[in-house]
Amino acid sequence: MPDAIEFEYEGRRNSNSAEAESAYSSIIAALELQESDFAAISGQSRIVGAAALVYPDADADTLLAASLWTACLIVNDDRWDYVQEDGGRLAPGEWFDGVTEVVDTWRTAGPLSDPFFELVRTTMFRLEAALGTEAADEIGHEIKRAITAMKWEGVWNEYTKKTSLATYLSFRRGYCTMDVQVVLDKWINGGRSFAALRDDPIRRAIDDVVVRFGCLSNDYYSWGREKKAVDKSNAVRILMDHAGYDESTALAHIRDDCVQAITDLDCIEESIKCSGHLGSHAKELLDYLACHRPLLYAAAIWPTETDRYR
C-alpha cells in the first residue's frame, strides 16, 4: 500500500452505517451472486464503510442505495479486470448490454439471466425510493453512458502507450463511472438537481477537478493490485509507458497530481467567494462544490481501510 494522500478536509462517517450494513448484507446474500462476485463486495471490502464516508448525512435507506451502487461498479470492474478468468460468467459484451437493458427496463423487467443484473435492478429500485424518479432517471442515463465508454475501453487500452495522461483522464472519467458519482453526490449530499447550474462553466470546472481526483486516486491506490492483473487502465502505467518514468517516480507524480487537484478545488472555491458578478449563483456554486468534498475525502481515506487494494 503506497503512502496515503494528504487531505486536510475533516471528513465524517455516517451514523447510520450499522443499520445500512445489516440491510446490505441481507440483500447481497439473497441475490445468490457467483462466488467471485460475492467475495468482491462482502466482508473486508467494507462497501458500506466507503459510502458512509462519501455520504455522511444520508439517511439509512439512501446510504443503503449508495452502497449497492458501489457494489455494482466493483463487481463490474472485477469482471472486466479478470475477463480471462470468468468462471462461466457472461462475456463482457453480454453483461454490458445486459446492464443497459436493465437500466432501461428495471421498473418492468421479469426474471433476469444473471444475478448481477438483479443487483443492478435492486440498486435502481432503492435509488428511486430514496431520491425520487428524476434522480433515478438521471443516474440511469449516466450509467448507460459509462457502459458505452466501457465498450470502447478494450480497444482504447491498445493505444494507451501512445497517449498522454491528460487524454487518458478525459476518457477515464466515463468508463470508471466518475460521472455517475458526480450525479449521486449532487442528489444525495446536495439534495437537489442544481438545474440552474447545468451549463455553468464554473460547475464544469468543479466537475473536472472532482473526477480528475477520483480517477487519479483510484489508480494510485490500486496500482499494486492492477499491475498483477490484465488491466491497462491506470495512470501510473500511462506515465511509465508514455513519459518513460520508473514505477516509483510515476507513483510519486500521480500522488502529487492528487494533491494538486485538492488545491485546484480550493482555488475554485476561493474564486467563487471573491467574485462580485455571480449573484445568486455564488451560493449555489459553493453548495455544489461542498457536496463533492466528502467524495474526495473518501477517495483518499477508504483505500487505506479496505482489503481491496492490498
Side-chain angles (χ1 to χ4, degrees):
M1 172 68 66
D3 294 337
I5 298 168
E6 296 175 3
F7 203 90
E8 295 183 359
Y9 173 81
E10 187 174 347
R12 294 177 293 114
R13 296 177 191 270
N14 194 302
S15 61
N16 296 308
S17 295
E19 182 179 350
E21 182 71 58
S22 177
Y24 172 87
S25 297
S26 296
I27 290 172
I28 295 300
L31 290 172
E32 298 183 348
L33 293 160
Q34 292 191 6
E35 183 177 353
S36 56
D37 293 341
F38 179 78
I41 57 174
S42 59
Q44 296 304 309
S45 54
R46 293 179 53 83
I47 302 300
V48 177
L53 290 172
V54 182
Y55 308 112
D57 297 312
D59 60 48
D61 289 340
T62 303
L63 182 61
L64 171 61
S67 300
L68 290 171
W69 165 246
T70 302
C72 286
L73 68 91
I74 285 179
V75 170
N76 190 85
D77 190 42
D78 276 13
R79 285 188 172 201
W80 189 226
D81 281 355
Y82 301 105
V83 69
Q84 302 303 322
E85 305 170 17
D86 61 14
R89 294 177 303 206
L90 297 175
E94 293 174 313
W95 88 65
F96 288 159
D97 289 346
V99 170
T100 299
E101 183 177 353
V102 171
V103 172
D104 281 335
T105 65
W106 60 271
R107 293 183 179 96
T108 59
L112 302 172
S113 61
D114 187 325
F116 174 49
F117 297 157
E118 191 61 49
L119 172 60
V120 177
R121 178 166 67 174
T122 300
T123 300
M124 294 304 300
F125 269 117
R126 293 283 179 166
L127 286 169
E128 182 173 57
L131 303 174
T133 299
E134 183 183 355
D137 287 345
E138 185 177 1
I139 293 164
H141 174 74
E142 287 299 334
I143 291 172
K144 289 196 297 181
R145 288 213 310 159
I147 292 297
T148 299
M150 289 174 195
K151 289 180 179 180
W152 195 47
E153 182 191 356
V155 178
W156 165 249
N157 279 341
E158 297 302 317
Y159 296 91
T160 53
K161 289 186 178 181
K162 300 178 182 179
T163 195
S164 67
L165 182 60
T167 297
Y168 163 78
L169 289 173
S170 70
F171 189 54
R172 172 80 163 137
R173 64 182 290 174
Y175 64 77
C176 78
T177 72
M178 277 304 302
D179 286 326
V180 180
Q181 192 63 57
V182 166
V183 174
L184 284 166
D185 281 2
K186 75 171 188 174
W187 282 107
I188 298 177
N189 289 340
R192 57 191 188 279
S193 68
F194 290 103
L197 302 180
R198 182 165 290 121
D199 296 318
D200 192 291
I202 302 176
R203 175 190 161 174
R204 292 185 181 184
I206 293 168
D207 286 349
D208 286 345
V209 174
V210 170
V211 299
R212 175 169 25 116
F213 183 89
C215 293
L216 289 172
S217 61
N218 177 269
D219 286 3
Y220 173 75
Y221 284 118
S222 64
W223 169 245
R225 175 178 180 268
E226 291 181 349
K227 70 179 180 179
K228 303 172 185 176
V230 298
D231 190 11
K232 299 178 182 178
S233 297
N234 192 290
V236 178
R237 171 59 65 189
I238 295 295
L239 290 183
M240 291 172 67
D241 289 341
H242 179 80
Y245 293 169
D246 60 33
E247 182 178 352
S248 61
T249 302
L251 272 168
H253 187 96
I254 296 303
R255 186 174 183 276
D256 289 345
D257 281 355
C258 288
V259 174
Q260 182 61 54
I262 296 169
T263 300
D264 291 349
L265 195 64
D266 292 342
C267 290
I268 293 172
E269 182 175 28
E270 288 304 310
S271 73
I272 295 170
K273 292 177 179 178
C274 294
S275 296
H277 66 282
L278 292 174
S280 62
H281 273 357
K283 184 179 186 307
E284 283 280 283
L285 285 165
L286 290 171
D287 287 349
Y288 183 76
L289 187 150
C291 82
H292 296 305
R293 288 282 190 188
L295 170 63
L296 272 65
Y297 178 78
I301 299 301
W302 179 68
T304 69
E305 301 180 348
T306 176
D307 66 353
R308 179 163 178 78
Y309 300 101
R310 300 184 192 283

